[in-house]
Amino acid sequence: MVEPIGNQYVVARPVYSENLFGEEHEKVHRCHKTFRDHLRVYFSCSSQKAKRIALGLFPIAFWLPAYRFKDWILNDIVSGISTGLVAVLQGLAFALLVNIPPGYGLYAAFFPVIIYFFFGSSRHISVGPFPVLSLMVGDAVMRIVPDVVGNSTMVNSSTIDEQRVMVAASVTFLAGIFQLLLGALQVGFIVIYLSQSLISGFTTAAAIHVVVSQLKFIFQLNVPGFNKPFGLFLTLENIFGQITKTNIADLITSLIILVVVFVVKEINSRYQTKLPVPIPIELIVLCCFAFSSRFQAPVAPDMEIFQSCIGDGFSIAIVGFAVAFSVAKVYSIKHDYSIDGNQELVAFGLSNIVGGAFKGFAASTSLSRSGVQESTGGKTQISGLLSAVIVMIVILAIGHLLEPLQKSVLAALALGNLKGMLMQFKEIGILWKKDKYDCSIWIVTFLAAIILGLDLGLAAGVGFELLTVVFRTQFPKCTVLANIGRNDVYKNRKDYKDIYEPEGVMIFRFPSPIFFANISFFKDKLIAAVGFNPLRVLRKRNKALRKIRRMLKNGELQVTPVSVTSLNQIELLYQPIDTANLPIQIDWNSDLPPNITVPRIEIHSIILDFSAVSFLDVSAMRVLKETLKEFVRVDVDIYIVGVHDGFLEKLERCEFFDEEVKQSMFFLTTHDAIRETYMSHKERERESEI
């Protein structure tokens, strides 16, 4: 019974062990579904399920009928035009990262947007080129079609460009296939293995790679690409080796553009609440320089390239999805709607497949473009569709009015869009204060991506991230609890002044799953907390018992004669102490006969708080059982509290309980166990007095 008294409550109930609670409160019998049951449900068919699948596959069918035309259309038009202008410039600039002619960047800014409009579940992200993905595609391009050393004819240059475009398109197509397969297999949860710290460290390293890769265009130097570990340093070595050959005109032009772009972007950032739309500095620069382009017919991917780029395609698929989903999740929370990770995989998979077929390169979402689309009032993907219309107008209507752009100009524009990623260096100090593990993930991922390259660096970062999870569960922070405020609250005894510790009782909390890798750590920490090794005490007591039996036999101890049998039996030192036929009662913590020393034990009960133990594997179960037996054999009572029902059910299935380790050890809460230790200890004292 619970009675409220002001802002307090009084609880009156029995002391509950797990057994007693189960006897008083009947559990509902639940039939757990088997794998076959799940398959049957998954492949079953009904009109409701068909409708749900259709709406899930085409999210546009859900939000478009509810579109508030009068309230939203103007916002979407303004947002679409603003985003489209940025998309044009970024498509051109990021094409340099792929090492293909700039015009193909417009295809990557057009086709994926159209496909995502029908299949995407986010209403605010801007789909299209992203510098990290562009650089990853560019690495694959340079590995398969490297630069030609020495002089080359125009024919050779044109042929190389065509080959590189085909490689970029094929890798993008392959990445789309991977994303589509992952979405069909419903494994959108894979993004959880890429933490925010890992993504931040990886994208920052990618920004450094982008900066280095564009230096050759800014300086106008003939520097080959190095797609291998330490490639970034080899590129820098080549650049500085040819620095005297710098084209001063291109360098000055690039620096001026960089300064202007950074200044205007800073103005946009500081006065974003006062400006109706961000200043389109990229468009202004575009009006001074130009290019020509047109649509080209779709092509089939090259299967030979598929065989050489499986790893590239998979890493591009994962990184592209992770970045896009992270940004989409931020906006979905801000604007209170849900997104589906599996559907996002399908949407981006189809977007990249179509984009690759039309000679585009990998698409994800750009943080800056998405920021423009959302901050200018975009409400739905209609703004994204309008941005694609802007790109299409540039491709078809005014492309013939423009002349080819200088690569140094595009390189400067590409670098001008890296400010946000480069500013992520500030997160190192923030993460160090918040969580040392997350900070180490950031640093290791960053260094690995810088030294090993983006693909191997990402793999190394994920491996280290998973290693930190294992490390945290293998070596958790164990604590000894105490009663705070003389009530039913138990906290770390080191954190509070007003504590109460019941005499002879140790409360030990282990905040982690218990499995094969940390069971030894658990045992060591428990022994360190109680201050003695039960196995050593047991061995000492059995040795002392032998001496006592021998002294009794030799008449060195005077006791009342009783019938004693098997007096000369030699016990195994690690077996339970057998004093059943001993004519005396031994108190191991009192004075013993001369020449007999046994470590004294100051506690009579250990309470193990397993409320944070989510699972226990079979290997750890065996060691745990032996550990509990060791304490029981030296007359220390064990109480285990806070376990979930599945924990007990698993112990029963694995035949964990026996005559020494009993199910009666388990109690609902720490306070229940404390009350039980108190009553059991008092009862023993009364029995010893009698």
Side-chain angles (χ1 to χ4, degrees):
M1 180 178 68
V2 180
E3 296 183 357
I5 304 176
N7 65 343
Q8 301 178 343
Y9 65 89
V10 177
V11 179
R13 66 168 177 81
V15 173
Y16 278 130
S17 66
E18 290 284 353
N19 288 341
L20 180 59
F21 188 82
E23 292 173 1
E24 290 193 8
H25 302 276
E26 184 179 359
K27 293 180 65 175
V28 176
H29 178 69
R30 293 185 300 154
C31 295
H32 297 284
K33 291 183 178 180
T34 64
F35 180 70
R36 179 180 296 179
D37 294 330
H38 286 289
L39 286 178
R40 186 181 298 112
V41 172
Y42 184 79
F43 289 106
S44 63
C45 186
S46 65
S47 58
Q48 292 294 329
K49 185 176 181 179
K51 181 180 179 180
R52 186 172 65 253
I53 293 175
L55 289 176
L57 187 59
F58 296 95
I60 187 175
F62 177 77
W63 62 263
L64 190 58
Y67 188 80
R68 293 156 55 183
F69 189 86
K70 292 183 179 180
D71 298 331
W72 291 353
I73 188 61
L74 184 60
N75 297 82
D76 279 338
I77 290 175
V78 173
S79 175
I81 294 174
S82 303
T83 307
L85 297 176
V86 177
V88 169
L89 254 295
Q90 290 189 349
L92 297 173
F94 296 159
L96 285 188
L97 303 179
V98 188
N99 298 288
I100 61 177
Y104 290 95
L106 294 180
Y107 301 153
F110 174 74
F111 291 104
V113 179
I114 302 297
I115 302 302
Y116 190 86
F117 175 78
F118 294 99
F119 294 95
S121 60
S122 174
R123 304 176 190 175
H124 293 88
I125 64 172
S126 174
V127 179
F130 180 58
V132 176
L133 285 192
S134 301
L135 192 62
M136 295 176 74
V137 175
D139 287 343
V141 168
M142 294 304 294
R143 188 181 71 249
I144 297 176
V145 188
D147 285 324
V148 176
V149 180
N151 297 326
S152 60
T153 63
M154 292 297 294
V155 176
N156 287 337
S157 177
S158 176
T159 302
I160 289 175
D161 283 343
E162 291 178 3
Q163 292 174 347
R164 288 178 175 176
V165 169
M166 179 55 69
V167 172
S170 298
V171 172
T172 299
F173 197 97
L174 181 60
I177 291 175
F178 278 126
Q179 289 175 327
L180 188 60
L181 288 176
L182 292 173
L185 294 174
Q186 303 286 294
V187 291
F189 65 85
I190 196 170
V191 74
I192 65 177
Y193 293 106
L194 302 179
S195 68
Q196 189 60 43
S197 301
L198 184 143
I199 293 175
S200 176
F202 178 75
T203 52
T204 305
I208 301 296
H209 277 279
V210 171
V211 171
V212 174
S213 69
Q214 298 307 288
L215 290 178
K216 64 180 181 181
F217 297 114
I218 290 178
F219 292 112
Q220 285 296 299
L221 300 175
N222 185 19
V223 177
F226 297 95
N227 183 31
K228 58 182 179 180
F230 300 97
L232 182 140
F233 303 102
L234 293 173
T235 302
L236 287 174
E237 181 184 5
N238 272 262
I239 289 174
F240 287 110
Q242 305 178 42
I243 198 70
T244 56
K245 301 178 182 179
T246 299
N247 186 314
I248 302 300
D250 280 299
L251 176 61
I252 294 175
T253 302
S254 301
L255 292 177
I256 292 174
I257 292 173
L258 272 176
V259 171
V260 172
V261 169
F262 274 123
V263 169
V264 175
K265 283 186 174 292
E266 186 66 24
I267 294 174
N268 287 338
S269 176
R270 292 194 178 188
Y271 301 100
Q272 59 181 346
T273 57
K274 298 180 180 180
L275 293 172
V277 294
I279 300 174
I281 183 59
E282 291 94 344
L283 179 63
I284 296 173
V285 174
L286 175 64
C287 292
C288 303
F289 306 91
F291 71 102
S292 59
S293 180
R294 60 184 177 82
F295 280 120
Q296 296 191 16
V299 294
D302 190 331
M303 294 302 169
E304 293 183 0
I305 296 176
F306 276 14
Q307 298 175 6
S308 305
C309 298
I310 292 178
D312 299 280
F314 187 77
S315 58
I316 289 169
I318 297 301
V319 173
F321 169 63
V323 172
F325 187 79
S326 300
V327 177
K329 192 172 183 180
V330 170
Y331 289 126
S332 70
I333 294 173
K334 181 178 179 180
H335 295 278
D336 192 25
Y337 63 89
S338 61
I339 57 174
D340 185 349
N342 294 314
Q343 182 59 29
E344 288 296 286
L345 275 171
V346 172
F348 278 102
L350 292 173
S351 298
N352 282 318
I353 288 174
V354 174
F358 281 92
K359 297 184 179 181
F361 50 86
S364 178
T365 181
S366 168
L367 282 67
S368 57
R369 272 200 325 275
S370 297
V372 170
Q373 183 164 317
E374 192 267 344
S375 63
T376 52
K379 301 297 182 182
T380 65
Q381 281 299 329
I382 285 181
S383 59
L385 184 64
L386 292 174
S387 71
V389 172
I390 298 297
V391 177
M392 182 182 66
I393 292 173
V394 171
I395 295 174
L396 298 179
I398 65 175
H400 64 282
L401 300 177
L402 306 174
E403 296 179 0
L405 273 171
Q406 294 173 250
K407 289 188 176 181
S408 59
V409 174
L410 291 178
L413 291 175
L415 297 184
N417 282 279
L418 298 178
K419 177 187 173 184
M421 289 193 287
L422 292 174
M423 292 298 290
Q424 291 177 147
F425 276 111
K426 297 188 298 183
E427 294 188 15
I428 298 178
I430 298 173
L431 289 174
W432 181 258
K433 296 178 181 179
K434 292 182 177 180
D435 192 298
K436 303 296 190 297
Y437 283 106
D438 280 333
C439 185
S440 64
I441 291 171
W442 197 105
I443 294 173
V444 169
T445 304
F446 173 81
L447 293 177
I450 288 290
I451 296 172
L452 302 177
L454 295 181
D455 47 0
L456 294 178
L458 177 62
V462 173
F464 181 79
E465 180 184 48
L466 296 178
L467 186 62
T468 62
V469 175
V470 174
F471 190 81
R472 282 191 248 197
T473 55
Q474 188 172 353
F475 304 105
K477 186 177 181 180
C478 305
T479 53
V480 175
L481 308 183
N483 187 281
I484 311 299
R486 300 298 179 104
N487 48 42
D488 64 342
V489 177
Y490 295 85
K491 296 285 188 179
N492 188 347
R493 67 180 180 183
K494 294 181 179 179
D495 294 338
Y496 297 88
K497 296 180 179 179
D498 180 22
I499 65 173
Y500 167 68
E501 296 182 272
E503 185 179 355
V505 179
M506 173 73 69
I507 310 172
F508 181 79
R509 186 172 189 268
F510 192 77
S512 168
I514 301 178
F515 58 105
F516 64 92
N518 69 0
I519 184 60
S520 297
F521 178 82
F522 164 80
K523 185 175 181 179
D524 293 341
K525 285 294 183 180
L526 178 59
I527 290 174
V530 299
F532 65 89
N533 188 328
L535 205 57
R536 179 174 176 271
V537 174
L538 183 62
R539 187 175 67 249
K540 290 283 188 180
R541 287 186 180 182
N542 273 313
K543 284 184 177 180
L545 185 60
R546 286 182 177 180
K547 291 182 180 180
I548 292 173
R549 289 184 185 278
R550 187 166 56 251
M551 293 173 71
L552 286 172
K553 183 178 181 180
N554 296 335
E556 297 176 13
L557 289 179
Q558 300 297 323
V559 295
T560 303
V562 295
S563 174
V564 179
T565 61
S566 303
L567 207 56
N568 294 323
Q569 180 182 0
I570 300 177
E571 299 84 3
L572 294 175
L573 296 182
Y574 297 125
Q575 292 301 310
I577 299 173
D578 183 12
T579 60
N581 296 321
L582 200 65
I584 59 173
Q585 184 176 2
I586 302 176
D587 183 357
W588 295 105
N589 287 329
S590 64
D591 294 332
L592 296 174
N595 301 323
I596 298 179
T597 58
V598 174
R600 295 193 177 189
I601 297 178
E602 302 297 332
I603 64 174
H604 57 75
S605 300
I606 297 175
I607 299 175
L608 301 176
D609 184 348
F610 278 4
S611 57
V613 178
S614 57
F615 70 86
L616 173 71
D617 73 356
V618 176
S619 299
M621 192 181 300
R622 178 182 57 82
V623 180
L624 176 64
K625 184 174 181 178
E626 290 300 321
T627 303
L628 300 183
K629 284 186 175 183
E630 290 168 10
F631 282 103
V632 170
R633 289 170 181 176
V634 294
D635 302 323
V636 176
D637 294 333
I638 299 292
Y639 301 86
I640 302 176
V641 302
V643 300
H644 57 84
D645 293 336
F647 192 99
L648 274 177
E649 293 173 1
K650 182 174 183 178
L651 294 181
E652 291 177 357
R653 290 197 308 269
C654 296
E655 301 178 350
F656 182 78
F657 303 110
D658 56 23
E659 294 181 356
E660 293 179 281
V661 180
K662 302 176 182 179
Q663 195 167 354
S664 58
M665 291 179 173
F666 290 80
F667 284 76
L668 288 187
T669 67
T670 302
H671 205 61
D672 286 307
I674 288 289
R675 296 300 303 168
E676 180 65 20
T677 62
Y678 176 79
M679 292 184 289
S680 298
H681 192 58
K682 287 296 183 183
E683 184 176 349
R684 286 184 181 177
E685 289 181 346
R686 287 195 300 268
E687 290 178 354
S688 62
E689 292 175 357
I690 296 175

